Amino acid sequence: MARFLLRRAGFLLLTLVFTSLLIFLITQALPGDVARILLGREASAQALAQLRAQLGLDRPLPIQYLTWLGDFVRGDWGTSFSTGQPVRELVLSRLGNSLQLAGLTLLIAVPTAVGLGVLAALYEESWIDTVISLASLSVVGLPEFITGLVLIQVFSFRLGWLPANSSIAPGTGLVAALPYLVLPALTATLVLLAYVARLTRASVLVELGRPYVRTAVLKGVPWRRVVIAHVLRNALLPTITVIAISFGWLISGLIVVENVFNYPGLGRLLTFAIARRDIPLLQAVALVAVLGFALANLVADILYAVFNPRITLR
Amino acid sequence: MFMNVWKNVRRTRLRTVVAALAAALLVGGAVAQSAPSGTLRVGMETPSKLDPAYASSDAEIAVLNAVYDYLVDVDADNNVQPRLATSWKVSSDGLTYTFELATDATWHDGSPVTAQDVVYTFDRLRDPAAKLPTSDLYADIASVTASGPHQVTFTLKKTNPFFLYDLSDNHAVIVKNGTTDFTAFDGSGPFVVQSYHPDDRMELTANPHYFMPGKPGVAKLELIFFSDPAAEVSALRGGQIDLATRLPTPLYQSLANVKGIARLDVPTNGFNVIRLRSDRAPGNDPRVVEALKLAVDRQAITDAVTQGLGAVGNDTPIGPLYKAYYDPNAQPPQTDAAKARELLKEAGYPDGLKLDLHTPNTGDRPDLAVVLKQQLAKAGFDINVIVEPESVYYGDNKWLDVDFGITGWGSRPYPQFYLNVMLACNAKWNESHYCNPAFDALVEDAGTTLDAAKRVADYHEIQAMLASTGPIVIPYFFPQLGAIRDGFSGYQLKAFAGRSDLAAVHAP
């Protein structure tokens, strides 16, 4: 187990360095000059050159990259090109917001999706199955900005139950923020729902067809117990992996949802950084995102081993 | 007699009351004004450049206008109004301007605003060595001096009838003497910055020592930044913001019958210019320019792109908002696609003229490009629309280089600015590379003469020239669209939304 973790940590480190290099190269290839974007169309060539020098953009590319990497490793995430503020605080505060939203989304999405999936499998080919499949498939095809706007229309404008917008002030506590989190979390849930539900349905069906289920039934184990103790334990393995990986996506991939609700998470910060070619900020957000994905994967692997004794982590 | 009575009431509570009553009578209405109360939450685009020399977007200027003061202000009717300067005098030769500053204005850190601060501000903005965006605008200032602790004197190299407007340029908020770092927001304005989260919001409170009586109206001002205007409108409808100052037309229309929200619509002199580079082929052939003008149906474009909310343009940057300066008789040639096709044939393009049309991907410009492509096709132009991010169109200076492009220009309170910076031969941003000595002579005269009638005549002649032969098409002037929650009073949307006075707003 220790060796496994060590090896994974090594891989993770390599991934992070590679990602940072890739992001750096991509930002270089993007059209548009950083200084021009920051100072606007009225700025003189002289002012642009001065800003480039101030940001260190006049140095050779390898030096720029290595300096940034060296500082980052030592815990100095640098200063944002566009705001002049320390990157680390900003990214960590937005990460906190993103974790809140991701947590609530999973809290809503997992029981709903797994429940629907199991229900659909248990009542395979009945009207229940048909309704669940149809509903989840029709929702998954809609982009988030549509589902988000529909939810706003219904729950905010029509019913007046929830705020239409989630631009919470910095430092808002979790309890105070909760009502603002519900609609974005529901929107993200709708994206996950169909996928997780159908995956659960498929693996429950596979397990239901296995001989041990018949044995258990014939032995006289109550059906409810067969399903919960035997079928689900095995059927949920792939689902757990998918959920863990989704968590990585929820942390940094909710770009559309966060913009529709103006929620100050990592996704919106990423849009901000890209629009301004703010390389230090962009790097930090991207690395936190990659780290999130990698850790989520790691957790998925460990959980898989815990639930499946046939697998040992080496 | 009075003094005797006064002595008799000494050391009594009555004396205090009498003194207070007398003060109330002297100060008049000022006492009746209530203290700032309530909160105003404004939705806006995310500002980026908050160094006054570079700030340019509505959101950026709105922040400056809340935190700092202009020397003089321009109201919604384009009249110059006092702000930090309470009064001014102009010498009879028009070359010396003397301003008296408010004596009770202070910086947010408590120190007084002095003439030296004003001198520093304008010396910084006009410094030819620093090459700030304002250095050309203020090139004709000979000197700025503190002629008293609260008196500033500007001396000009040549007369400038628009000098007060120039002093109220969007960049020209007064900053504290010596400021080079603008992240401290130490202004003298109606609101004090409490916290700034550049990607998210800015929180401000009323400046308790603000020198303008009765301002600001609200105790707390929150500027909330949106990257998606649709989210801004949801927030307005859902009650999370109270005011949205810059809405795209479709979102503005979506608020038509929403209870509790009033829509705001003011005409502006902001425009998109469709400009054809005129110093090389194909734009250097007057027949091609004429064909372009004949091919465009400005009314149809206005109806399609602004849904009729904009004002139809005449291919000149001098719009109806400038009242006497505007000449409704200066009209571009009547739309005639067949005649345009004929002219193209004569100019050597019998099979049509192929052109790339470059446009930034912001505002209504992509829509305009598409409508334009269809109209021009009828006249034999084969247009390939290239939509690019602003960072590319402006960033690589494409807008000054490409043959055919669309550029947005914000609304200004006076017309001379556009002529000086985009159409005179040596203009800094002469994107159409237009150069006409007769035109330049008129621009020079209009920009220096103190004879108002002469200036009106010059502008009319300029419009006639541009409408008939200028290598530009200005199909419409933007409407400025916004919306405000019921109960908030005192807000007056200006043509340049960022200059609207948030300090005048009162919360319900």
Side-chain angles (χ1 to χ4, degrees):
Chain A
M1 182 76 177
R3 241 182 73 196
F4 166 80
L5 285 179
L6 210 63
R7 211 178 60 222
R8 287 294 290 259
F11 266 125
L12 180 55
L13 212 63
L14 274 178
T15 315
L16 289 177
V17 173
F18 182 70
T19 314
S20 71
L21 184 62
L22 202 65
I23 294 166
F24 186 77
L25 292 177
I26 291 171
T27 52
Q28 299 307 317
L30 283 177
D33 165 35
V34 178
R36 174 65 78 184
I37 291 168
L38 296 182
L39 291 184
R41 79 181 194 197
E42 297 179 339
S44 65
Q46 185 187 340
L48 296 179
Q50 204 181 334
L51 181 64
R52 263 182 233 119
Q54 200 184 317
L55 297 175
L57 296 172
D58 53 345
R59 299 168 303 169
L61 289 183
I63 303 279
Q64 282 183 43
Y65 175 70
L66 290 175
T67 319
W68 170 83
L69 186 66
D71 289 346
F72 193 88
V73 169
R74 272 178 275 133
D76 175 7
W77 294 18
T79 312
S80 154
F81 280 176
S82 57
T83 72
Q85 294 182 327
V87 164
R88 197 167 133 162
E89 281 169 41
L90 183 58
V91 172
L92 291 182
S93 84
R94 297 296 179 266
L95 174 65
N97 286 345
S98 278
L99 286 173
Q100 275 182 7
L101 181 56
L104 184 66
T105 306
L106 285 190
L107 221 57
I108 299 172
V110 171
T112 319
V114 170
L116 287 177
V118 172
L119 213 61
L122 291 181
Y123 296 94
E124 193 199 356
E125 311 225 315
S126 75
W127 66 270
I128 296 179
D129 185 21
T130 316
V131 167
I132 291 174
S133 295
L134 266 179
S136 57
L137 275 179
S138 52
V139 166
V140 80
L142 293 171
E144 296 107 295
F145 62 87
I146 301 282
T147 48
L149 289 179
V150 170
L151 289 176
I152 291 173
Q153 191 68 36
V154 174
F155 290 102
S156 304
F157 297 161
R158 288 280 157 80
L159 299 172
W161 291 352
L162 291 163
N165 196 265
S166 312
S167 40
I168 52 168
T172 309
L174 179 58
V175 176
L178 211 54
Y180 295 91
L181 290 171
V182 176
L183 282 187
L186 274 182
T187 312
T189 297
L190 290 181
V191 178
L192 287 180
L193 196 65
Y195 187 40
V196 177
R198 290 191 68 79
L199 190 80
T200 310
R201 176 185 180 272
S203 44
V204 168
L205 279 181
V206 169
E207 291 304 319
L208 284 177
R210 288 197 195 280
Y212 73 83
V213 175
R214 204 173 28 179
T215 312
V217 172
L218 290 178
K219 188 169 86 169
V221 181
W223 180 235
R224 182 185 295 265
R225 209 175 122 67
V226 173
V227 171
I228 293 172
H230 298 286
V231 174
L232 280 192
R233 187 188 162 105
N234 290 312
L236 287 188
L237 278 178
T239 312
I240 287 169
T241 317
V242 166
I243 290 168
I245 292 172
S246 301
F247 192 69
W249 171 73
L250 285 173
I251 292 173
S252 57
L254 291 182
I255 296 171
V256 175
V257 175
E258 288 180 13
N259 277 312
V260 166
F261 289 95
N262 214 41
Y263 182 74
L266 281 182
R268 217 182 96 202
L269 190 62
L270 190 67
T271 328
F272 177 85
I274 293 172
R276 284 161 184 71
R277 303 284 189 281
D278 196 330
I279 299 170
L281 189 57
L282 187 57
Q283 286 279 22
V285 176
L287 290 188
V288 167
V290 171
L291 198 67
F293 263 104
L295 289 180
N297 260 308
L298 184 65
V299 170
D301 286 351
I302 293 172
L303 282 180
Y304 206 93
V306 170
F307 283 102
N308 190 347
R310 280 170 298 185
I311 292 195
T312 40
L313 300 173
R314 260 194 295 262
Chain B
M1 166 71 185
F2 179 79
M3 284 315 288
N4 283 340
V5 176
W6 186 242
K7 274 175 194 155
N8 289 341
V9 291
R10 89 181 66 173
R11 286 190 196 173
T12 61
R13 227 156 135 200
L14 184 63
R15 185 167 165 176
T16 330
V17 173
V18 171
L21 275 175
L25 284 172
L26 282 172
V27 186
V31 171
Q33 258 140 11
S34 52
S37 68
T39 302
L40 172 67
R41 299 160 301 171
V42 185
M44 52 171 63
E45 293 172 338
T46 315
S48 318
K49 312 177 288 280
L50 292 178
D51 174 340
Y54 290 102
S56 61
S57 74
D58 270 302
E60 289 156 1
I61 301 302
V63 171
L64 297 189
N65 199 24
V67 175
Y68 303 91
D69 283 304
Y70 288 91
L71 187 62
V72 292
D73 224 335
V74 177
D75 66 17
D77 294 322
N78 275 353
N79 298 314
V80 177
Q81 299 290 350
R83 186 134 171 205
L84 256 186
T86 50
S87 66
W88 52 89
K89 266 190 265 175
V90 187
S91 65
S92 54
D93 63 0
L95 290 175
T96 309
Y97 284 69
T98 310
F99 294 88
E100 303 295 335
L101 304 182
T103 49
D104 50 352
T106 55
W107 298 104
H108 293 164
D109 69 4
S111 54
V113 176
T114 67
Q116 211 51 53
D117 299 315
V118 178
V119 173
Y120 171 78
T121 298
F122 284 97
D123 278 349
R124 171 176 186 260
L125 293 177
R126 72 195 184 95
D127 180 3
K131 283 219 164 64
L132 296 179
T134 40
S135 61
D136 283 3
L137 179 68
Y138 298 130
D140 290 329
I141 296 178
S143 70
V144 189
T145 50
S147 39
H150 290 99
Q151 189 187 68
V152 186
T153 304
F154 289 78
T155 317
L156 305 186
K157 292 177 191 161
K158 57 182 189 189
T159 50
N160 176 359
F162 299 109
F163 186 60
L164 288 171
Y165 291 99
D166 283 348
L167 287 179
S168 193
D169 182 79
N170 284 345
H171 297 293
V173 289
I174 306 303
V175 301
K176 199 174 174 180
N177 189 6
T179 312
T180 50
D181 173 12
F182 294 92
T183 57
F185 299 110
D186 188 10
S188 60
F191 293 100
V192 184
V193 177
Q194 298 300 335
S195 72
Y196 175 42
H197 307 274
D199 65 318
D200 187 43
R201 70 184 60 222
M202 181 181 260
E203 292 169 319
L204 308 98
T205 51
N207 175 1
H209 310 293
Y210 194 53
F211 69 97
M212 293 190 96
K215 286 185 182 181
V218 293
K220 221 176 148 217
L221 175 67
E222 285 180 29
L223 308 177
I224 302 171
F225 310 144
F226 290 83
S227 45
D228 178 0
E232 190 177 338
V233 167
S234 304
L236 183 68
R237 291 188 60 175
Q240 276 97 44
I241 60 170
D242 309 307
L243 170 66
T245 58
R246 214 179 122 97
L247 294 176
T249 310
L251 285 172
Y252 172 83
Q253 303 284 36
S254 78
L255 289 170
N257 294 309
V258 178
K259 262 203 192 118
I261 289 170
R263 298 193 300 167
L264 310 165
D265 168 13
V266 295
T268 82
N269 198 76
F271 55 86
N272 289 318
V273 60
I274 302 150
R275 94 290 177 289
L276 183 63
R277 191 166 164 169
S278 61
D279 62 337
R280 65 185 187 200
N284 60 359
D285 187 331
R287 289 169 295 193
V288 174
V289 173
E290 200 187 339
L292 171 66
K293 285 175 174 285
L294 282 165
V296 177
D297 181 345
R298 292 156 195 81
Q299 180 69 53
I301 290 182
T302 310
D303 291 344
V305 181
T306 75
Q307 302 190 18
L309 292 168
V312 179
N314 300 337
D315 296 1
T316 98
I318 304 178
L321 226 59
Y322 297 137
K323 296 177 187 135
Y325 294 146
Y326 171 69
D327 179 6
N329 300 317
Q331 291 287 343
Q334 196 75 39
T335 308
D336 187 341
K339 196 171 163 200
R341 195 180 279 273
E342 204 54 43
L343 277 167
L344 280 186
K345 201 178 281 175
E346 270 176 44
Y349 307 98
D351 307 319
L353 173 56
K354 231 176 131 69
L355 271 174
D356 284 342
L357 174 61
H358 294 259
T359 179
N361 62 357
T362 47
D364 54 8
R365 286 172 271 280
D367 300 344
L368 170 59
V370 171
V371 177
L372 196 64
K373 177 189 162 93
Q374 289 165 355
Q375 289 193 356
L376 292 181
K378 289 183 211 151
F381 287 90
D382 179 7
I383 302 298
N384 173 34
V385 175
I386 300 174
V387 179
E388 31 200 11
E390 289 204 342
S391 57
V392 176
Y393 186 65
Y394 298 123
D396 304 336
N397 273 336
K398 267 193 172 177
W399 70 301
L400 301 177
D401 180 57
V402 295
D403 277 305
F404 200 36
I406 300 179
T407 305
W409 288 86
S411 193
R412 302 271 164 170
Y414 61 115
Q416 189 70 18
F417 170 84
Y418 305 110
L419 307 174
N420 284 343
V421 306
M422 70 180 275
L423 288 161
C425 278
N426 57 355
K428 196 169 172 181
W429 297 304
N430 188 343
E431 41 178 330
S432 62
H433 297 251
Y434 179 61
C435 190
N436 177 347
F439 176 87
D440 275 19
L442 286 169
V443 171
E444 173 71 20
D445 190 56
T448 49
T449 183
L450 299 178
D451 176 350
K454 185 87 185 344
R455 194 158 55 245
V456 167
D458 288 340
Y459 280 147
H460 286 194
E461 210 172 322
I462 284 170
Q463 287 165 76
M465 270 184 185
L466 289 175
S468 58
T469 57
I472 56 172
V473 171
I474 294 178
Y476 57 88
F477 293 97
F478 305 132
Q480 182 66 262
L481 307 173
I484 191 165
R485 176 169 304 289
D486 285 353
F488 286 84
S489 59
Y491 183 73
Q492 193 170 22
L493 182 61
K494 290 186 184 173
F496 190 95
R499 289 294 289 268
S500 306
D501 189 3
L502 295 176
V505 179
H506 288 266

